[in-house]
Amino acid sequence: MENSDYFLRFPTFKRAPSVSANVEFARLANQMNWKKDSKVYKQERAKFLVAEFNVHYGADPTKLENWQALCIELDISEPIESITKCRKALAKVHVNLVDLVDARRTGKKVKHFSSATALRTYTRATEKIFPKSAAKADGFLKALLRAIY
């Protein structure tokens, strides 16, 4: 689902494409009266974040150029001639997935963490948690998925 397709379901929602994903979704959830702990809130947040990622980084995990663009975005300087090499390079990168989406929305650089532990601490403290099931289903996101709990 493209991001624009996602928002077509909410014709009265006024988008603000340059604010953070968390702020944008919170505004939508408020307008739709979705409660933060509800099933619909969690499902819609997952759909929203995946749609955002796909709009900004591509939805086709079989295209090498999409993987290369992601590697460039994450400052991976080694040559990436194959999807396998890109996956291996991404396995060494520790970034928050919500921040990665926000990098394109807000224009801010993605913060790199020195370890999975540092990333985990930051993610828990900021509650910028990308839904695990959604990340596992996506080829790009799966490569960047780290255990948070």
Side-chain angles (χ1 to χ4, degrees), residues 54-133:
N54 289 345
V55 163
H56 296 297
Y57 296 100
D60 187 350
T62 65
K63 289 189 172 184
L64 176 59
E65 52 271 15
N66 289 349
W67 286 93
Q68 289 169 325
L70 183 57
C71 286
I72 290 167
E73 178 92 15
L74 293 173
D75 297 325
I76 295 171
S77 58
E78 60 194 71
I80 305 295
E81 301 104 13
S82 70
I83 291 173
T84 301
K85 283 188 177 186
C86 188
R87 280 184 199 269
K88 286 180 181 177
L90 290 172
K92 301 172 195 166
V93 175
H94 305 293
V95 295
N96 179 277
L97 297 178
V98 177
D99 285 350
L100 182 60
V101 168
D102 280 350
R104 289 286 176 95
R105 288 185 65 93
T106 65
K108 294 180 181 173
K109 276 294 247 174
V110 180
K111 178 178 172 69
H112 288 247
F113 294 88
S114 59
S115 67
T117 302
L119 171 61
R120 185 177 305 114
T121 301
Y122 168 83
T123 301
R124 287 179 182 166
T126 61
E127 296 184 1
K128 291 183 178 181
I129 300 169
F130 203 101
K132 182 179 172 181
S133 59

Coordinates of all heavy atoms in Angstrom, one line a residue, residues 54-133:
N54 N 7.7 2.5 2.5 CA 7.6 2.1 1.1 C 7.7 3.3 0.2 O 8.3 3.3 -0.9 CB 6.4 1.2 0.8 CG 6.5 -0.1 1.4 OD1 7.6 -0.6 1.8 ND2 5.4 -0.8 1.5
V55 N 7.0 4.4 0.5 CA 7.0 5.6 -0.3 C 8.4 6.2 -0.3 O 8.8 6.6 -1.4 CB 6.0 6.6 0.3 CG1 6.3 8.0 -0.2 CG2 4.6 6.2 0.0
H56 N 9.1 6.2 0.8 CA 10.4 6.8 0.8 C 11.6 6.0 0.4 O 12.5 6.5 -0.1 CB 10.7 7.3 2.2 CG 9.7 8.4 2.7 ND1 9.6 9.6 2.0 CD2 8.8 8.4 3.7 CE1 8.7 10.3 2.6 NE2 8.2 9.6 3.6
Y57 N 11.4 4.7 0.5 CA 12.6 3.8 0.2 C 12.3 2.7 -0.8 O 13.2 1.9 -1.2 CB 13.1 3.1 1.5 CG 13.6 4.1 2.5 CD1 12.9 4.6 3.5 CD2 14.9 4.7 2.3 CE1 13.3 5.6 4.4 CE2 15.4 5.7 3.2 CZ 14.6 6.1 4.2 OH 15.1 7.1 5.0
G58 N 11.1 2.6 -1.3 CA 10.7 1.6 -2.3 C 10.1 0.4 -1.7 O 10.4 0.0 -0.5
A59 N 9.2 -0.2 -2.4 CA 8.4 -1.3 -1.9 C 8.9 -2.7 -2.5 O 8.4 -3.7 -2.0 CB 6.9 -1.2 -2.2
D60 N 9.8 -2.6 -3.4 CA 10.2 -3.9 -4.1 C 11.6 -4.3 -3.6 O 12.6 -3.8 -4.1 CB 10.2 -3.6 -5.6 CG 10.5 -4.9 -6.4 OD1 10.8 -6.0 -5.8 OD2 10.3 -4.9 -7.6
P61 N 11.6 -5.3 -2.7 CA 12.9 -5.8 -2.2 C 13.7 -6.6 -3.2 O 14.8 -7.1 -2.9 CB 12.5 -6.6 -1.0 CG 11.1 -7.1 -1.3 CD 10.5 -6.0 -2.2
T62 N 13.2 -6.8 -4.4 CA 14.0 -7.5 -5.4 C 14.8 -6.6 -6.3 O 15.6 -7.1 -7.2 CB 13.1 -8.4 -6.3 OG1 12.2 -7.5 -7.1 CG2 12.2 -9.4 -5.5
K63 N 14.7 -5.3 -6.1 CA 15.4 -4.3 -6.9 C 16.7 -3.9 -6.2 O 16.6 -3.3 -5.2 CB 14.5 -3.1 -7.2 CG 13.4 -3.4 -8.2 CD 12.8 -2.1 -8.6 CE 11.8 -2.4 -9.7 NZ 11.2 -1.1 -10.2
L64 N 17.8 -4.2 -6.8 CA 19.1 -3.8 -6.3 C 19.2 -2.3 -6.0 O 19.7 -1.9 -5.0 CB 20.2 -4.3 -7.2 CG 21.7 -3.9 -6.8 CD1 22.0 -4.5 -5.4 CD2 22.7 -4.4 -7.8
E65 N 18.7 -1.5 -7.0 CA 18.8 -0.1 -6.8 C 18.1 0.4 -5.5 O 18.5 1.4 -4.9 CB 18.3 0.7 -8.0 CG 17.0 0.3 -8.5 CD 17.0 -0.8 -9.6 OE1 17.9 -1.5 -9.7 OE2 15.9 -1.0 -10.2
N66 N 17.0 -0.2 -5.1 CA 16.4 0.2 -3.9 C 17.3 -0.1 -2.7 O 17.4 0.7 -1.7 CB 15.0 -0.6 -3.7 CG 13.9 -0.1 -4.6 OD1 14.1 1.0 -5.3 ND2 12.8 -0.8 -4.7
W67 N 17.9 -1.3 -2.7 CA 18.8 -1.7 -1.6 C 20.0 -0.7 -1.6 O 20.5 -0.3 -0.5 CB 19.3 -3.1 -1.8 CG 18.3 -4.1 -1.4 CD1 17.4 -4.7 -2.3 CD2 18.0 -4.7 -0.2 NE1 16.6 -5.6 -1.6 CE2 16.9 -5.6 -0.3 CE3 18.6 -4.5 1.1 CZ2 16.4 -6.3 0.8 CZ3 18.1 -5.2 2.2 CH2 17.0 -6.1 2.0
Q68 N 20.5 -0.4 -2.8 CA 21.7 0.5 -2.8 C 21.3 1.9 -2.3 O 22.1 2.5 -1.6 CB 22.2 0.6 -4.3 CG 22.9 -0.7 -4.7 CD 23.1 -0.7 -6.2 OE1 22.4 -0.2 -7.0 NE2 24.2 -1.3 -6.6
A69 N 20.1 2.4 -2.6 CA 19.7 3.7 -2.1 C 19.6 3.7 -0.6 O 20.0 4.7 0.0 CB 18.4 4.1 -2.8
L70 N 19.1 2.6 -0.1 CA 19.0 2.5 1.4 C 20.4 2.5 2.0 O 20.7 3.2 3.0 CB 18.2 1.2 1.8 CG 18.0 1.0 3.3 CD1 17.3 2.2 3.9 CD2 17.2 -0.3 3.5
C71 N 21.3 1.8 1.4 CA 22.7 1.7 1.9 C 23.4 3.1 1.8 O 24.0 3.5 2.8 CB 23.5 0.7 1.1 SG 23.1 -1.0 1.5
I72 N 23.1 3.8 0.8 CA 23.7 5.2 0.6 C 23.1 6.1 1.7 O 23.8 6.8 2.4 CB 23.4 5.7 -0.8 CG1 24.3 5.0 -1.8 CG2 23.7 7.2 -0.8 CD1 23.9 5.2 -3.2
E73 N 21.8 6.0 1.9 CA 21.1 6.8 3.0 C 21.7 6.5 4.3 O 21.8 7.4 5.2 CB 19.6 6.4 3.0 CG 18.8 7.1 4.0 CD 18.2 8.4 3.5 OE1 18.1 8.6 2.3 OE2 17.8 9.2 4.4
L74 N 22.1 5.3 4.6 CA 22.7 4.9 5.9 C 24.2 5.0 5.9 O 24.9 4.4 6.8 CB 22.2 3.5 6.3 CG 20.7 3.5 6.5 CD1 20.2 2.0 6.7 CD2 20.3 4.3 7.7
D75 N 24.8 5.7 5.0 CA 26.2 6.0 4.9 C 27.1 4.8 4.9 O 28.2 4.7 5.4 CB 26.6 6.9 6.2 CG 26.0 8.2 6.2 OD1 25.8 8.8 5.1 OD2 25.6 8.7 7.3
I76 N 26.6 3.8 4.2 CA 27.4 2.6 3.9 C 28.3 2.9 2.7 O 27.8 3.1 1.6 CB 26.6 1.3 3.7 CG1 25.8 1.0 5.0 CG2 27.4 0.1 3.3 CD1 24.8 -0.1 4.9
S77 N 29.6 2.9 2.9 CA 30.5 3.4 1.8 C 31.1 2.2 1.0 O 31.5 2.5 -0.1 CB 31.6 4.2 2.4 OG 32.3 3.5 3.4
E78 N 31.0 1.0 1.5 CA 31.6 -0.1 0.7 C 30.7 -0.3 -0.5 O 29.5 0.0 -0.5 CB 31.7 -1.3 1.6 CG 30.3 -1.8 2.1 CD 30.5 -2.8 3.2 OE1 30.9 -2.5 4.3 OE2 30.1 -4.0 3.0
P79 N 31.3 -0.8 -1.6 CA 30.6 -1.0 -2.8 C 29.5 -2.1 -2.6 O 29.8 -3.2 -2.0 CB 31.6 -1.5 -3.9 CG 32.9 -1.4 -3.2 CD 32.7 -1.1 -1.7
I80 N 28.3 -1.9 -3.1 CA 27.2 -2.8 -2.9 C 26.8 -3.3 -4.3 O 26.1 -2.6 -5.0 CB 26.0 -2.2 -2.2 CG1 26.4 -1.6 -0.9 CG2 24.9 -3.2 -2.1 CD1 26.9 -2.6 0.2
E81 N 27.3 -4.5 -4.7 CA 27.0 -5.0 -6.1 C 25.9 -6.0 -6.1 O 25.5 -6.4 -7.2 CB 28.3 -5.6 -6.7 CG 29.5 -4.7 -6.8 CD 30.5 -5.0 -5.8 OE1 30.5 -6.1 -5.1 OE2 31.4 -4.2 -5.6
S82 N 25.4 -6.4 -4.9 CA 24.3 -7.4 -4.9 C 23.5 -7.1 -3.6 O 23.9 -6.5 -2.7 CB 24.9 -8.8 -4.8 OG 25.5 -9.0 -3.5
I83 N 22.3 -7.7 -3.7 CA 21.4 -7.6 -2.6 C 21.9 -8.3 -1.3 O 21.9 -7.8 -0.2 CB 20.0 -8.1 -2.9 CG1 19.3 -7.2 -3.9 CG2 19.1 -8.3 -1.7 CD1 18.0 -7.7 -4.5
T84 N 22.6 -9.4 -1.6 CA 23.2 -10.1 -0.5 C 24.3 -9.3 0.2 O 24.3 -9.2 1.5 CB 23.9 -11.4 -1.0 OG1 22.8 -12.2 -1.6 CG2 24.5 -12.2 0.1
K85 N 25.1 -8.6 -0.5 CA 26.2 -7.7 0.1 C 25.5 -6.6 0.8 O 26.0 -6.2 1.9 CB 27.1 -7.2 -1.0 CG 28.1 -8.2 -1.4 CD 29.1 -7.6 -2.3 CE 30.2 -8.6 -2.7 NZ 31.3 -8.1 -3.5
C86 N 24.4 -6.0 0.3 CA 23.7 -5.0 1.0 C 23.2 -5.5 2.3 O 23.3 -4.8 3.4 CB 22.6 -4.4 0.1 SG 21.9 -2.9 0.8
R87 N 22.5 -6.6 2.3 CA 22.0 -7.2 3.5 C 23.1 -7.4 4.6 O 22.8 -7.1 5.8 CB 21.3 -8.6 3.3 CG 19.9 -8.5 2.7 CD 19.4 -10.0 2.6 NE 18.3 -10.1 1.6 CZ 17.1 -10.0 2.0 NH1 16.7 -9.7 3.2 NH2 16.1 -10.1 1.1
K88 N 24.2 -7.9 4.2 CA 25.3 -8.1 5.1 C 25.8 -6.8 5.7 O 26.1 -6.7 6.9 CB 26.5 -8.8 4.4 CG 26.2 -10.3 4.2 CD 27.3 -11.0 3.5 CE 26.9 -12.5 3.3 NZ 28.0 -13.2 2.6
A89 N 25.9 -5.7 4.8 CA 26.3 -4.4 5.3 C 25.3 -3.8 6.3 O 25.6 -3.3 7.3 CB 26.5 -3.5 4.1
L90 N 24.0 -4.0 6.0 CA 22.9 -3.5 6.8 C 22.9 -4.2 8.2 O 22.4 -3.6 9.2 CB 21.6 -3.6 6.1 CG 21.4 -2.6 5.0 CD1 20.1 -2.9 4.2 CD2 21.4 -1.2 5.4
A91 N 23.3 -5.5 8.2 CA 23.3 -6.2 9.5 C 24.2 -5.6 10.5 O 24.0 -5.8 11.7 CB 23.7 -7.7 9.2
K92 N 25.2 -4.8 10.1 CA 26.1 -4.1 11.0 C 25.6 -2.7 11.4 O 26.2 -2.1 12.2 CB 27.4 -3.9 10.3 CG 28.1 -5.2 9.9 CD 29.3 -5.0 9.1 CE 29.8 -6.2 8.3 NZ 30.8 -5.9 7.3
V93 N 24.5 -2.3 10.9 CA 24.0 -0.9 11.1 C 22.9 -1.0 12.2 O 22.0 -1.9 12.1 CB 23.4 -0.3 9.8 CG1 22.7 1.0 10.1 CG2 24.5 -0.2 8.8
H94 N 22.9 -0.1 13.1 CA 21.9 0.0 14.2 C 21.3 1.4 14.1 O 21.8 2.4 14.6 CB 22.6 -0.2 15.6 CG 23.4 -1.5 15.7 ND1 22.8 -2.7 15.6 CD2 24.7 -1.7 15.7 CE1 23.7 -3.7 15.7 NE2 24.9 -3.1 15.8
V95 N 20.1 1.4 13.5 CA 19.3 2.6 13.4 C 17.8 2.3 13.9 O 17.3 1.2 13.7 CB 19.3 3.2 12.0 CG1 20.7 3.7 11.6 CG2 18.7 2.3 11.0
N96 N 17.2 3.4 14.4 CA 15.8 3.2 14.7 C 14.9 3.3 13.5 O 15.1 4.3 12.7 CB 15.4 4.3 15.7 CG 14.0 4.3 16.1 OD1 13.1 4.8 15.4 ND2 13.7 3.6 17.3
L97 N 14.0 2.4 13.2 CA 13.3 2.4 12.0 C 12.3 3.5 11.9 O 12.1 4.0 10.8 CB 12.5 1.0 11.9 CG 13.4 -0.2 11.8 CD1 12.6 -1.5 11.7 CD2 14.4 -0.1 10.6
V98 N 11.7 4.0 13.0 CA 10.9 5.2 12.9 C 11.7 6.4 12.6 O 11.3 7.2 11.8 CB 10.1 5.4 14.2 CG1 9.2 6.6 14.2 CG2 9.2 4.1 14.5
D99 N 12.9 6.5 13.1 CA 13.8 7.6 12.8 C 14.2 7.5 11.3 O 14.3 8.6 10.6 CB 15.0 7.6 13.6 CG 14.8 8.1 15.0 OD1 13.7 8.6 15.3 OD2 15.7 7.9 15.9
L100 N 14.3 6.3 10.8 CA 14.7 6.2 9.4 C 13.6 6.7 8.5 O 13.8 7.5 7.5 CB 14.9 4.7 9.0 CG 15.3 4.4 7.6 CD1 16.6 5.1 7.2 CD2 15.5 2.9 7.5
V101 N 12.3 6.4 8.8 CA 11.2 7.0 8.1 C 11.2 8.5 8.3 O 11.0 9.3 7.3 CB 9.8 6.4 8.6 CG1 8.6 7.2 8.1 CG2 9.7 4.9 8.2
D102 N 11.4 9.0 9.5 CA 11.4 10.4 9.7 C 12.5 11.2 9.0 O 12.4 12.4 8.7 CB 11.6 10.7 11.2 CG 10.3 10.6 12.0 OD1 9.2 10.4 11.3 OD2 10.3 10.5 13.2
A103 N 13.6 10.5 8.7 CA 14.7 11.1 8.0 C 14.2 11.7 6.6 O 14.6 12.8 6.3 CB 15.9 10.1 7.7
R104 N 13.4 11.0 6.0 CA 12.8 11.4 4.7 C 11.7 12.4 4.9 O 11.6 13.4 4.2 CB 12.3 10.3 3.9 CG 13.4 9.4 3.3 CD 14.1 10.1 2.2 NE 15.2 9.3 1.7 CZ 15.2 8.5 0.6 NH1 14.0 8.3 0.0 NH2 16.2 7.9 0.2
R105 N 11.0 12.3 6.0 CA 9.9 13.2 6.3 C 10.4 14.6 6.7 O 9.9 15.6 6.3 CB 8.9 12.7 7.4 CG 8.1 11.5 6.9 CD 7.1 11.1 8.0 NE 6.2 12.1 8.3 CZ 5.0 12.2 7.8 NH1 4.6 11.3 6.9 NH2 4.2 13.2 8.1
T106 N 11.4 14.6 7.6 CA 11.8 15.8 8.2 C 13.2 16.4 7.7 O 13.5 17.5 8.0 CB 12.0 15.6 9.8 OG1 13.1 14.7 9.9 CG2 10.8 15.1 10.4
G107 N 13.9 15.6 6.9 CA 15.2 16.0 6.4 C 16.3 15.9 7.3 O 17.4 16.2 7.0
K108 N 16.1 15.3 8.5 CA 17.1 15.1 9.5 C 17.9 13.8 9.2 O 17.3 12.8 8.7 CB 16.6 15.0 10.9 CG 15.9 16.3 11.4 CD 15.4 16.2 12.8 CE 14.7 17.5 13.2 NZ 14.0 17.3 14.5
K109 N 19.2 13.8 9.6 CA 20.0 12.6 9.4 C 19.6 11.5 10.4 O 19.1 11.8 11.5 CB 21.5 12.9 9.7 CG 22.3 13.5 8.6 CD 22.5 12.6 7.4 CE 23.9 12.1 7.2 NZ 24.0 11.2 6.2
V110 N 19.7 10.3 10.0 CA 19.4 9.1 10.9 C 20.6 8.9 11.8 O 21.7 8.9 11.4 CB 19.2 7.8 10.1 CG1 18.9 6.7 11.0 CG2 18.1 8.0 9.0
K111 N 20.2 8.8 13.1 CA 21.3 8.6 14.2 C 21.7 7.1 14.1 O 20.8 6.2 14.1 CB 20.7 8.9 15.5 CG 21.6 8.7 16.7 CD 21.0 9.1 18.0 CE 21.9 8.7 19.2 NZ 23.1 9.3 19.4
H112 N 23.0 6.9 14.1 CA 23.5 5.5 14.1 C 23.9 5.2 15.6 O 24.5 6.1 16.2 CB 24.7 5.4 13.2 CG 24.4 5.4 11.8 ND1 24.6 4.3 11.0 CD2 23.9 6.4 10.9 CE1 24.2 4.6 9.7 NE2 23.8 5.9 9.7
F113 N 23.6 4.0 16.0 CA 24.0 3.6 17.3 C 25.2 2.7 17.3 O 25.3 1.9 16.3 CB 22.8 3.0 18.0 CG 21.7 4.0 18.3 CD1 20.7 4.2 17.3 CD2 21.6 4.7 19.4 CE1 19.7 5.2 17.5 CE2 20.6 5.7 19.7 CZ 19.7 5.9 18.7
S114 N 26.0 2.7 18.3 CA 27.2 1.9 18.3 C 26.9 0.4 18.5 O 27.7 -0.5 18.2 CB 28.2 2.4 19.4 OG 27.5 2.3 20.6
S115 N 25.8 0.1 19.1 CA 25.4 -1.3 19.3 C 23.9 -1.5 19.4 O 23.2 -0.5 19.5 CB 26.0 -1.7 20.7 OG 25.3 -1.0 21.7
A116 N 23.5 -2.8 19.3 CA 22.1 -3.1 19.4 C 21.6 -2.7 20.8 O 20.4 -2.2 20.9 CB 21.9 -4.6 19.2
T117 N 22.4 -2.8 21.8 CA 22.0 -2.4 23.2 C 21.7 -0.9 23.3 O 20.7 -0.5 23.8 CB 23.1 -2.8 24.2 OG1 23.3 -4.2 24.1 CG2 22.7 -2.4 25.6
A118 N 22.6 -0.1 22.7 CA 22.4 1.4 22.7 C 21.1 1.7 21.9 O 20.3 2.5 22.3 CB 23.5 2.1 22.1
L119 N 20.9 1.0 20.8 CA 19.6 1.2 20.0 C 18.4 0.8 20.8 O 17.4 1.6 20.9 CB 19.7 0.4 18.7 CG 18.4 0.4 17.9 CD1 17.9 1.8 17.4 CD2 18.6 -0.6 16.7
R120 N 18.5 -0.3 21.5 CA 17.4 -0.8 22.3 C 17.0 0.2 23.4 O 15.8 0.5 23.6 CB 17.8 -2.1 22.9 CG 16.7 -2.8 23.7 CD 17.1 -4.2 24.2 NE 17.6 -5.1 23.1 CZ 18.9 -5.5 23.0 NH1 19.8 -5.2 23.9 NH2 19.3 -6.2 22.0
T121 N 18.0 0.7 24.1 CA 17.8 1.7 25.1 C 17.1 3.0 24.6 O 16.1 3.4 25.2 CB 19.2 2.1 25.8 OG1 19.7 0.9 26.3 CG2 19.0 3.1 26.9
Y122 N 17.6 3.5 23.5 CA 17.0 4.7 22.9 C 15.6 4.4 22.4 O 14.7 5.2 22.7 CB 17.8 5.1 21.7 CG 17.2 6.1 20.8 CD1 17.2 7.4 21.1 CD2 16.5 5.7 19.6 CE1 16.6 8.4 20.2 CE2 15.9 6.6 18.8 CZ 16.0 8.0 19.1 OH 15.4 8.9 18.3
T123 N 15.3 3.3 21.8 CA 14.0 2.9 21.3 C 13.0 2.8 22.4 O 11.9 3.3 22.3 CB 14.1 1.6 20.4 OG1 15.0 1.8 19.4 CG2 12.7 1.2 19.9
R124 N 13.4 2.2 23.4 CA 12.4 2.0 24.6 C 12.2 3.4 25.2 O 11.0 3.7 25.6 CB 13.0 1.1 25.6 CG 13.0 -0.4 25.2 CD 13.6 -1.2 26.3 NE 13.7 -2.6 26.0 CZ 14.4 -3.5 26.7 NH1 15.2 -3.1 27.7 NH2 14.4 -4.7 26.3
A125 N 13.2 4.2 25.4 CA 13.0 5.5 26.0 C 12.2 6.4 25.2 O 11.4 7.2 25.8 CB 14.4 6.1 26.3
T126 N 12.3 6.4 23.9 CA 11.5 7.3 23.0 C 10.2 6.7 22.6 O 9.4 7.4 22.0 CB 12.3 7.7 21.8 OG1 12.6 6.5 21.0 CG2 13.6 8.4 22.1
E127 N 10.0 5.4 22.8 CA 8.8 4.7 22.4 C 8.7 4.7 20.8 O 7.5 4.7 20.3 CB 7.6 5.2 23.1 CG 7.6 4.9 24.6 CD 6.3 5.3 25.3 OE1 5.3 5.7 24.6 OE2 6.3 5.1 26.5
K128 N 9.8 4.8 20.1 CA 9.7 4.8 18.7 C 9.9 3.4 18.2 O 11.0 3.0 17.7 CB 10.8 5.7 18.1 CG 10.6 7.2 18.3 CD 11.7 8.0 17.7 CE 11.5 9.5 17.9 NZ 12.6 10.3 17.2
I129 N 8.9 2.6 18.4 CA 8.9 1.2 18.1 C 8.2 0.9 16.8 O 7.0 1.1 16.7 CB 8.4 0.4 19.3 CG1 9.2 0.7 20.6 CG2 8.4 -1.1 19.0 CD1 8.6 0.1 21.8
F130 N 8.9 0.3 15.9 CA 8.3 -0.1 14.6 C 7.7 -1.5 14.9 O 8.4 -2.3 15.4 CB 9.4 -0.2 13.5 CG 8.8 -0.1 12.1 CD1 8.9 1.1 11.4 CD2 8.2 -1.2 11.5 CE1 8.4 1.2 10.1 CE2 7.7 -1.0 10.2 CZ 7.8 0.1 9.5
P131 N 6.4 -1.7 14.5 CA 5.8 -3.0 14.8 C 6.6 -4.2 14.2 O 6.9 -4.2 13.0 CB 4.4 -2.9 14.1 CG 4.2 -1.4 14.1 CD 5.5 -0.8 13.9
K132 N 7.0 -5.1 15.0 CA 7.8 -6.2 14.6 C 7.2 -7.0 13.5 O 7.9 -7.4 12.5 CB 8.0 -7.1 15.9 CG 8.9 -8.3 15.6 CD 9.1 -9.1 16.9 CE 9.8 -10.4 16.7 NZ 9.9 -11.1 18.0
S133 N 5.9 -7.3 13.5 CA 5.3 -8.2 12.5 C 5.4 -7.5 11.1 O 5.6 -8.1 10.1 CB 3.9 -8.5 12.8 OG 3.1 -7.4 13.0

